[in-house]
Structure formats: structure tokens, C-alpha cells
Amino acid sequence: MKGVGIASPATPLQPQRGGWRDSARRAALVSTLLLAAVWAWSHFQQHSAALHGSPLKPVPAPSLSGFTDTQGRAFSWTRERGRAVLVFFGYTHCPDVCPLTLAALAQSLERLGPLRKQVRVVFVTLDPARDTAPVLRAYLDAFLPDTIGLRAAMPAVRVSARQWGITWRRVDTADGAYWIDHTAAVTLVGPDGRLVARYGYGQLTDPSWLADDLRTVLERG
């Protein structure tokens, strides 16, 4: 019967040259990354503090590529730089939420006084087949005459809606007509062209809430 062997003592680990330097470098790198994360979070919190809307990550607003306004001009965020912009996806045959949202925006903007000139509303139609440029212009003029109405071919509409987080679907009715079920949300873009906050209809019921947010965003610049 073989006896049980006795393990020999482990060979002591030899100190590696530069080991503490590597550790110091790693610690410095981790500290730098932590500081960067803290700064980014602080910047995000400052960006979204005291707003009534749901804060968004302050990334550049999607381009709305392929869209033209009711005068046939291609939309460009460059022309809106320096303004606060409210973006809403809807359609003119909408029976309820679209007119209610536009009316709520009008009430909020009325409270801004001279700052009103620094705010733009952009209405993006989800129904370009029926919302021709004249139809869109007449509809928006009934609520907010200086609103930019945008339309595009359906492929561009689908891409843009996805980029802006808008879900929608066409619902055909028995009489051959149709309506569109869609996300009812307004997105606020700051004067720097970056996303700021998003508002469901419930967050627009008090006109002072959005008006206060717009003042805050315009003061930040």
C-alpha cells in the first residue's frame, strides 16, 4: 500500500518587476473612467433637472431626412438652431389626440410672451397620402400658424417614426376608410439640436408645465 505523500511547500512567488507600477496605472485608468462616468451622469441630471417632461438622453435629434415642408423646402435642423423645437407625429384626419395636443401646445406657447418667437412646432404627418401640402397647411394654421408641417414618402415616414420612438399602424374600417393608431407624444429638442424631454398628453394638460420647461431650456441655451 502506497503511503500518502506529503506536499512540498509551494514555491514562494517572486516579485515581478514593475508590478506596482502596473497596478498604479490600472488604478489611475479606473479612476479616470469613474470620473468620466460621474461627469456624464451629472451632466445628464443637470440637463434634465426640474423638467415636467420625461427626460431623454441629450443626443442629437434624428435628422428627418427626406421630409419637406408645406412650401416644398427640405427640412434642416441647421435652420432651427437657437430655437426650442417641439416635434409631434400625427395626421390631419385624427379625431381626438392630434387636435387636443395641438390645442394644448398653443395654450402653453401663449404663456411665453416674447420668448414665443424662440419656439417652433414641427408636425410630421403619418398620412402623406391624404395630408397633401395644402391640406396640412390649412390644418396647422387653425391651431398654430407658424408650425412647420412635414411630409415625405412612406418609406421615409417609417424610418423617421422608428428613429423618434413612434409606433403606429393603419387601421382599415368596414366602409373602406382608415384611421391611424399612433404614439401621442411631443418631443422637445433644445436650441443646441439635442433631445431634451418627451411629453405624453397627460404631461400637457397643465399649460404652465410645458411653458416652464421651455423657459428653462431657452435660458440654458
Side-chain angles (χ1 to χ4, degrees), residues 101-169:
T101 297
L102 289 172
L105 294 182
Q107 291 178 30
S108 294
L109 297 184
E110 285 178 0
R111 294 172 173 256
L112 292 179
L115 287 178
R116 170 67 181 86
K117 296 179 180 179
Q118 299 180 43
V119 181
R120 184 86 77 189
V121 176
V122 172
F123 183 94
V124 184
T125 180
L126 295 167
D127 188 16
R130 292 186 295 188
D131 290 349
T132 62
V135 168
L136 193 54
R137 185 73 268 149
Y139 179 78
L140 295 175
D141 284 349
F143 296 95
L144 291 163
D146 61 342
T147 296
I148 296 177
L150 295 182
R151 57 191 307 276
M154 191 53 70
V157 172
R158 293 192 183 97
V159 170
S160 188
R162 185 167 59 250
Q163 291 174 337
W164 286 84
I166 303 298
T167 58
W168 63 286
R169 64 188 180 96

Coordinates of all heavy atoms in Angstrom, one line a residue, residues 101-169:
T101 N -53.7 67.7 -28.7 CA -52.3 68.0 -28.5 C -51.9 69.4 -29.0 O -51.3 70.2 -28.4 CB -51.4 66.9 -29.1 OG1 -51.7 65.7 -28.4 CG2 -50.0 67.3 -28.9
L102 N -52.3 69.7 -30.3 CA -52.0 71.0 -30.8 C -52.6 72.1 -30.1 O -52.0 73.2 -29.9 CB -52.4 71.0 -32.3 CG -51.6 70.1 -33.3 CD1 -52.3 70.1 -34.6 CD2 -50.2 70.6 -33.4
A103 N -53.9 71.9 -29.6 CA -54.5 73.0 -28.8 C -53.8 73.2 -27.5 O -53.6 74.3 -27.0 CB -56.0 72.6 -28.5
A104 N -53.3 72.1 -26.9 CA -52.5 72.2 -25.6 C -51.2 72.9 -25.8 O -50.8 73.7 -25.0 CB -52.3 70.8 -25.1
L105 N -50.5 72.6 -27.0 CA -49.3 73.3 -27.3 C -49.5 74.8 -27.4 O -48.8 75.6 -27.0 CB -48.7 72.7 -28.5 CG -48.2 71.3 -28.5 CD1 -47.5 70.9 -29.8 CD2 -47.2 71.1 -27.3
A106 N -50.6 75.1 -28.1 CA -51.0 76.6 -28.3 C -51.2 77.3 -27.0 O -50.7 78.4 -26.8 CB -52.2 76.7 -29.2
Q107 N -51.8 76.6 -26.1 CA -52.1 77.2 -24.8 C -50.8 77.4 -24.0 O -50.6 78.5 -23.4 CB -53.0 76.4 -23.9 CG -54.4 76.3 -24.5 CD -55.3 75.4 -23.6 OE1 -55.1 75.2 -22.4 NE2 -56.3 74.8 -24.3
S108 N -49.8 76.5 -24.1 CA -48.6 76.6 -23.4 C -47.7 77.8 -24.0 O -47.1 78.6 -23.3 CB -47.8 75.3 -23.5 OG -48.4 74.3 -22.8
L109 N -47.7 77.8 -25.4 CA -46.9 78.8 -26.0 C -47.4 80.2 -25.8 O -46.7 81.2 -25.8 CB -46.8 78.5 -27.5 CG -46.2 77.2 -27.9 CD1 -46.1 77.1 -29.4 CD2 -44.8 77.1 -27.3
E110 N -48.7 80.4 -25.6 CA -49.3 81.7 -25.3 C -48.7 82.3 -24.0 O -48.7 83.5 -23.8 CB -50.8 81.6 -25.2 CG -51.5 81.4 -26.5 CD -53.0 81.3 -26.3 OE1 -53.5 81.3 -25.1 OE2 -53.8 81.1 -27.3
R111 N -48.2 81.4 -23.1 CA -47.7 81.9 -21.8 C -46.3 82.4 -21.9 O -45.8 82.9 -20.9 CB -47.8 80.8 -20.8 CG -49.3 80.4 -20.5 CD -49.3 79.1 -19.6 NE -50.7 78.8 -19.2 CZ -51.1 79.1 -17.9 NH1 -50.3 79.6 -17.0 NH2 -52.4 78.8 -17.6
L112 N -45.7 82.3 -23.0 CA -44.2 82.6 -23.1 C -43.9 84.1 -23.3 O -42.8 84.5 -23.2 CB -43.6 81.7 -24.2 CG -43.5 80.2 -23.9 CD1 -42.9 79.5 -25.1 CD2 -42.8 79.9 -22.7
G113 N -44.9 84.8 -23.8 CA -44.6 86.2 -24.1 C -43.6 86.4 -25.2 O -43.6 85.6 -26.2
P114 N -42.6 87.2 -25.0 CA -41.6 87.5 -26.1 C -40.8 86.2 -26.5 O -40.3 86.1 -27.6 CB -40.7 88.5 -25.5 CG -41.5 89.2 -24.5 CD -42.4 88.2 -23.9
L115 N -40.7 85.2 -25.5 CA -39.9 84.0 -25.8 C -40.6 83.1 -26.8 O -40.0 82.2 -27.4 CB -39.7 83.2 -24.5 CG -38.7 83.8 -23.5 CD1 -38.7 82.9 -22.2 CD2 -37.3 83.9 -24.1
R116 N -41.9 83.4 -27.1 CA -42.6 82.6 -28.0 C -41.9 82.5 -29.4 O -42.0 81.5 -30.1 CB -44.0 83.2 -28.2 CG -44.9 82.6 -29.4 CD -45.2 81.2 -29.1 NE -46.0 80.6 -30.2 CZ -45.4 80.0 -31.2 NH1 -44.1 80.0 -31.4 NH2 -46.2 79.5 -32.2
K117 N -41.2 83.6 -29.8 CA -40.6 83.6 -31.1 C -39.4 82.7 -31.1 O -38.9 82.4 -32.2 CB -40.1 85.1 -31.3 CG -41.2 86.1 -31.5 CD -40.6 87.5 -31.7 CE -41.7 88.5 -31.9 NZ -41.2 89.9 -32.1
Q118 N -38.9 82.2 -30.0 CA -37.8 81.3 -29.9 C -38.2 79.8 -29.9 O -37.4 78.9 -29.6 CB -36.9 81.6 -28.8 CG -36.3 83.0 -28.8 CD -35.4 83.3 -27.6 OE1 -34.6 82.4 -27.2 NE2 -35.6 84.5 -27.0
V119 N -39.5 79.5 -30.1 CA -40.0 78.2 -30.1 C -40.7 77.8 -31.4 O -41.4 78.6 -31.9 CB -41.0 78.0 -28.9 CG1 -41.5 76.6 -28.9 CG2 -40.4 78.4 -27.6
R120 N -40.4 76.7 -31.9 CA -41.0 76.2 -33.1 C -41.7 74.9 -32.9 O -41.2 74.0 -32.1 CB -39.9 76.0 -34.2 CG -40.5 75.6 -35.6 CD -40.9 76.8 -36.4 NE -39.7 77.4 -36.9 CZ -39.7 78.6 -37.6 NH1 -40.9 79.2 -37.7 NH2 -38.6 79.1 -38.1
V121 N -42.8 74.7 -33.5 CA -43.5 73.4 -33.5 C -43.4 72.7 -34.9 O -43.5 73.4 -35.9 CB -45.0 73.5 -33.2 CG1 -45.7 72.2 -33.2 CG2 -45.2 74.1 -31.8
V122 N -43.0 71.4 -34.9 CA -42.9 70.7 -36.1 C -43.9 69.5 -36.1 O -43.8 68.7 -35.2 CB -41.4 70.1 -36.3 CG1 -41.4 69.2 -37.5 CG2 -40.4 71.3 -36.5
F123 N -44.8 69.5 -37.0 CA -45.8 68.5 -37.1 C -45.4 67.5 -38.3 O -45.4 68.0 -39.4 CB -47.2 69.1 -37.3 CG -48.3 68.1 -37.4 CD1 -49.0 67.8 -36.2 CD2 -48.7 67.5 -38.6 CE1 -50.1 66.9 -36.3 CE2 -49.7 66.6 -38.6 CZ -50.5 66.3 -37.5
V124 N -45.2 66.3 -38.0 CA -44.8 65.3 -39.0 C -46.0 64.4 -39.3 O -46.5 63.7 -38.4 CB -43.6 64.5 -38.5 CG1 -43.1 63.5 -39.6 CG2 -42.5 65.3 -38.1
T125 N -46.5 64.4 -40.5 CA -47.7 63.6 -40.8 C -47.3 62.1 -41.0 O -46.3 61.8 -41.7 CB -48.4 64.1 -42.1 OG1 -49.6 63.3 -42.3 CG2 -47.5 64.1 -43.3
L126 N -48.2 61.3 -40.5 CA -48.0 59.8 -40.7 C -48.9 59.4 -41.8 O -49.0 58.2 -42.1 CB -48.4 59.1 -39.4 CG -47.5 59.3 -38.2 CD1 -48.2 58.8 -36.9 CD2 -46.2 58.6 -38.4
D127 N -49.6 60.3 -42.5 CA -50.6 60.0 -43.5 C -50.4 60.9 -44.7 O -51.2 61.7 -45.1 CB -52.0 60.3 -42.9 CG -53.1 59.8 -43.9 OD1 -52.8 59.0 -44.8 OD2 -54.3 60.2 -43.6
P128 N -49.2 60.8 -45.4 CA -48.9 61.6 -46.5 C -49.8 61.5 -47.7 O -49.9 62.4 -48.5 CB -47.4 61.3 -46.9 CG -47.3 59.9 -46.4 CD -48.1 59.8 -45.1
A129 N -50.5 60.4 -47.8 CA -51.4 60.2 -49.0 C -52.6 61.2 -48.9 O -53.0 61.8 -49.9 CB -51.9 58.8 -49.0
R130 N -53.1 61.4 -47.7 CA -54.2 62.3 -47.6 C -53.8 63.7 -47.2 O -54.4 64.7 -47.5 CB -55.2 61.8 -46.5 CG -56.0 60.6 -47.0 CD -57.1 60.1 -46.0 NE -56.5 59.7 -44.7 CZ -57.3 59.2 -43.8 NH1 -58.6 59.0 -44.0 NH2 -56.7 58.8 -42.6
D131 N -52.6 63.8 -46.4 CA -52.1 65.1 -46.0 C -51.2 65.7 -47.0 O -50.0 65.7 -46.9 CB -51.4 64.9 -44.6 CG -52.3 64.6 -43.5 OD1 -53.6 64.7 -43.7 OD2 -51.8 64.2 -42.4
T132 N -51.9 66.2 -48.1 CA -51.1 67.0 -49.1 C -50.6 68.3 -48.4 O -51.1 68.7 -47.3 CB -52.0 67.3 -50.3 OG1 -53.1 68.1 -49.9 CG2 -52.5 66.0 -50.9
A133 N -49.7 69.0 -49.1 CA -49.2 70.2 -48.6 C -50.3 71.2 -48.3 O -50.3 71.8 -47.2 CB -48.1 70.8 -49.5
P134 N -51.3 71.5 -49.2 CA -52.3 72.4 -48.8 C -53.2 72.0 -47.7 O -53.6 72.8 -46.8 CB -53.2 72.5 -50.1 CG -52.2 72.1 -51.2 CD -51.3 71.0 -50.6
V135 N -53.5 70.7 -47.6 CA -54.4 70.2 -46.5 C -53.6 70.4 -45.2 O -54.2 70.8 -44.2 CB -54.7 68.7 -46.7 CG1 -55.3 68.1 -45.5 CG2 -55.7 68.6 -47.9
L136 N -52.4 70.0 -45.2 CA -51.5 70.1 -44.0 C -51.4 71.6 -43.5 O -51.6 71.9 -42.3 CB -50.2 69.5 -44.2 CG -49.2 69.2 -43.0 CD1 -49.9 68.4 -42.0 CD2 -48.0 68.5 -43.5
R137 N -51.2 72.5 -44.5 CA -51.1 73.9 -44.1 C -52.3 74.5 -43.5 O -52.3 75.2 -42.5 CB -50.7 74.7 -45.4 CG -50.3 76.1 -45.2 CD -49.0 76.3 -44.5 NE -49.2 76.4 -43.0 CZ -48.2 76.0 -42.1 NH1 -47.1 75.4 -42.6 NH2 -48.4 76.1 -40.8
A138 N -53.5 74.1 -44.1 CA -54.7 74.7 -43.6 C -55.0 74.1 -42.2 O -55.5 74.8 -41.4 CB -55.9 74.3 -44.6
Y139 N -54.7 72.9 -42.0 CA -55.0 72.2 -40.7 C -54.1 72.9 -39.6 O -54.7 73.3 -38.6 CB -54.7 70.7 -40.8 CG -54.8 70.0 -39.5 CD1 -56.1 69.6 -39.1 CD2 -53.7 69.6 -38.8 CE1 -56.3 68.8 -37.9 CE2 -53.9 68.8 -37.6 CZ -55.2 68.5 -37.2 OH -55.3 67.7 -36.0
L140 N -52.9 73.1 -39.9 CA -52.0 73.6 -38.9 C -52.3 75.1 -38.6 O -52.1 75.6 -37.5 CB -50.5 73.4 -39.3 CG -50.1 72.0 -39.4 CD1 -48.6 71.9 -39.9 CD2 -50.1 71.3 -38.0
D141 N -52.7 75.8 -39.6 CA -53.0 77.2 -39.5 C -54.2 77.5 -38.5 O -54.3 78.5 -37.9 CB -53.3 77.9 -40.8 CG -52.0 78.1 -41.6 OD1 -50.9 78.0 -41.1 OD2 -52.1 78.4 -42.8
A142 N -55.0 76.5 -38.4 CA -56.1 76.6 -37.5 C -55.7 76.5 -36.0 O -56.5 76.9 -35.1 CB -57.2 75.5 -37.8
F143 N -54.5 76.0 -35.7 CA -54.0 75.8 -34.4 C -52.8 76.8 -34.1 O -52.9 77.6 -33.2 CB -53.6 74.4 -34.1 CG -54.7 73.4 -34.2 CD1 -55.0 72.7 -35.3 CD2 -55.5 73.2 -33.1 CE1 -56.0 71.8 -35.4 CE2 -56.5 72.2 -33.1 CZ -56.8 71.5 -34.3
L144 N -51.8 76.6 -34.9 CA -50.5 77.3 -34.7 C -50.0 77.7 -36.1 O -49.3 76.9 -36.7 CB -49.5 76.5 -33.9 CG -49.8 76.2 -32.5 CD1 -49.0 75.0 -32.0 CD2 -49.5 77.5 -31.6
P145 N -50.3 78.9 -36.6 CA -49.9 79.2 -38.0 C -48.4 79.1 -38.3 O -48.1 78.9 -39.5 CB -50.4 80.7 -38.1 CG -51.5 80.8 -37.1 CD -51.0 79.9 -35.9
D146 N -47.6 79.3 -37.3 CA -46.1 79.2 -37.7 C -45.5 77.8 -37.6 O -44.3 77.6 -37.6 CB -45.3 80.2 -36.9 CG -45.4 79.9 -35.4 OD1 -46.3 79.1 -34.9 OD2 -44.5 80.4 -34.6
T147 N -46.4 76.8 -37.4 CA -46.0 75.4 -37.3 C -45.4 74.9 -38.6 O -45.9 75.2 -39.7 CB -47.1 74.5 -36.9 OG1 -47.6 74.8 -35.6 CG2 -46.7 73.0 -36.9
I148 N -44.3 74.2 -38.6 CA -43.7 73.6 -39.8 C -44.4 72.2 -40.0 O -44.4 71.4 -39.1 CB -42.2 73.4 -39.6 CG1 -41.5 74.7 -39.5 CG2 -41.7 72.6 -40.8 CD1 -40.0 74.6 -39.3
G149 N -45.1 72.1 -41.1 CA -45.7 70.8 -41.4 C -44.8 70.0 -42.4 O -44.4 70.5 -43.4
L150 N -44.5 68.8 -42.0 CA -43.6 68.0 -42.8 C -44.3 66.7 -43.3 O -45.1 66.1 -42.6 CB -42.4 67.5 -41.9 CG -41.4 68.6 -41.4 CD1 -40.3 68.0 -40.7 CD2 -40.9 69.5 -42.6
R151 N -43.9 66.4 -44.6 CA -44.4 65.2 -45.2 C -43.3 64.6 -46.0 O -42.4 65.2 -46.4 CB -45.7 65.5 -46.1 CG -45.5 66.5 -47.1 CD -46.8 66.9 -47.8 NE -47.6 65.8 -48.2 CZ -47.4 65.2 -49.4 NH1 -46.5 65.6 -50.2 NH2 -48.2 64.1 -49.7
A152 N -43.4 63.3 -46.2 CA -42.4 62.5 -47.0 C -43.1 61.3 -47.6 O -44.2 60.9 -47.2 CB -41.2 62.2 -46.1
A153 N -42.4 60.6 -48.5 CA -42.8 59.3 -48.9 C -42.9 58.3 -47.8 O -42.1 58.4 -46.8 CB -41.9 58.8 -50.0
M154 N -43.8 57.3 -47.9 CA -44.0 56.4 -46.8 C -42.7 55.7 -46.2 O -42.6 55.6 -45.0 CB -45.1 55.4 -47.2 CG -45.6 54.6 -46.0 SD -46.1 55.6 -44.6 CE -47.6 56.3 -45.3
P155 N -41.8 55.3 -47.1 CA -40.6 54.7 -46.6 C -39.8 55.6 -45.6 O -39.3 55.2 -44.6 CB -39.7 54.4 -47.8 CG -40.7 54.2 -48.9 CD -41.8 55.2 -48.6
A156 N -39.7 56.9 -46.0 CA -39.1 57.8 -45.1 C -39.8 58.0 -43.8 O -39.3 58.2 -42.7 CB -38.8 59.2 -45.8
V157 N -41.2 58.0 -43.9 CA -42.0 58.2 -42.7 C -41.8 57.0 -41.7 O -41.6 57.2 -40.5 CB -43.5 58.2 -43.1 CG1 -44.4 58.2 -41.9 CG2 -43.8 59.5 -43.9
R158 N -41.7 55.8 -42.3 CA -41.5 54.6 -41.4 C -40.1 54.7 -40.7 O -40.0 54.5 -39.5 CB -41.5 53.4 -42.2 CG -42.9 53.0 -42.8 CD -43.0 51.6 -43.4 NE -44.2 51.3 -44.0 CZ -44.5 51.4 -45.3 NH1 -43.5 51.8 -46.1 NH2 -45.7 51.1 -45.8
V159 N -39.1 55.1 -41.4 CA -37.8 55.2 -40.9 C -37.7 56.3 -39.8 O -37.2 56.0 -38.7 CB -36.7 55.5 -41.9 CG1 -35.4 55.9 -41.3 CG2 -36.5 54.3 -42.9
S160 N -38.3 57.4 -40.1 CA -38.3 58.5 -39.1 C -39.1 58.2 -37.9 O -38.6 58.5 -36.7 CB -38.8 59.8 -39.8 OG -38.6 60.9 -38.9
A161 N -40.2 57.6 -38.0 CA -41.0 57.3 -36.9 C -40.3 56.3 -35.9 O -40.3 56.5 -34.7 CB -42.4 56.6 -37.3
R162 N -39.6 55.4 -36.5 CA -38.8 54.5 -35.7 C -37.7 55.2 -35.0 O -37.4 54.9 -33.8 CB -38.2 53.4 -36.6 CG -37.5 52.3 -35.8 CD -37.2 51.1 -36.7 NE -36.4 51.4 -37.9 CZ -36.9 51.4 -39.1 NH1 -38.2 51.1 -39.3 NH2 -36.1 51.7 -40.2
Q163 N -37.0 56.1 -35.7 CA -35.9 56.9 -35.0 C -36.4 57.7 -33.9 O -35.7 57.9 -32.9 CB -35.2 57.7 -36.1 CG -34.4 57.0 -37.1 CD -33.9 57.9 -38.2 OE1 -34.5 59.0 -38.5 NE2 -32.9 57.5 -38.9
W164 N -37.6 58.2 -34.0 CA -38.2 59.1 -32.9 C -39.0 58.3 -31.9 O -39.6 58.9 -31.0 CB -39.1 60.1 -33.5 CG -38.3 61.2 -34.2 CD1 -37.8 61.2 -35.5 CD2 -37.9 62.5 -33.7 NE1 -37.1 62.4 -35.8 CE2 -37.1 63.2 -34.7 CE3 -38.1 63.1 -32.5 CZ2 -36.6 64.4 -34.5 CZ3 -37.6 64.4 -32.2 CH2 -36.8 65.0 -33.2
G165 N -39.0 57.0 -32.0 CA -39.7 56.2 -31.0 C -41.2 56.2 -31.1 O -41.9 56.0 -30.1
I166 N -41.7 56.4 -32.3 CA -43.1 56.5 -32.6 C -43.6 55.2 -33.2 O -43.1 54.7 -34.2 CB -43.5 57.6 -33.5 CG1 -43.0 59.0 -33.0 CG2 -45.0 57.7 -33.8 CD1 -43.6 59.4 -31.7
T167 N -44.5 54.5 -32.5 CA -45.2 53.3 -33.1 C -46.5 53.7 -33.6 O -47.2 54.6 -33.1 CB -45.3 52.2 -32.0 OG1 -46.1 52.8 -30.9 CG2 -44.0 51.8 -31.4
W168 N -46.9 53.1 -34.8 CA -48.1 53.4 -35.4 C -48.6 52.3 -36.3 O -47.7 51.5 -36.7 CB -48.0 54.8 -36.2 CG -47.0 54.7 -37.3 CD1 -45.7 54.7 -37.2 CD2 -47.3 54.6 -38.7 NE1 -45.1 54.6 -38.5 CE2 -46.1 54.6 -39.4 CE3 -48.5 54.5 -39.4 CZ2 -46.0 54.5 -40.8 CZ3 -48.5 54.5 -40.8 CH2 -47.2 54.4 -41.5
R169 N -49.8 52.3 -36.6 CA -50.4 51.3 -37.6 C -51.6 51.8 -38.2 O -52.4 52.6 -37.6 CB -50.6 50.0 -36.9 CG -51.7 50.0 -35.8 CD -51.8 48.7 -35.0 NE -52.9 48.8 -34.0 CZ -54.1 48.4 -34.2 NH1 -54.5 47.8 -35.3 NH2 -55.0 48.5 -33.2

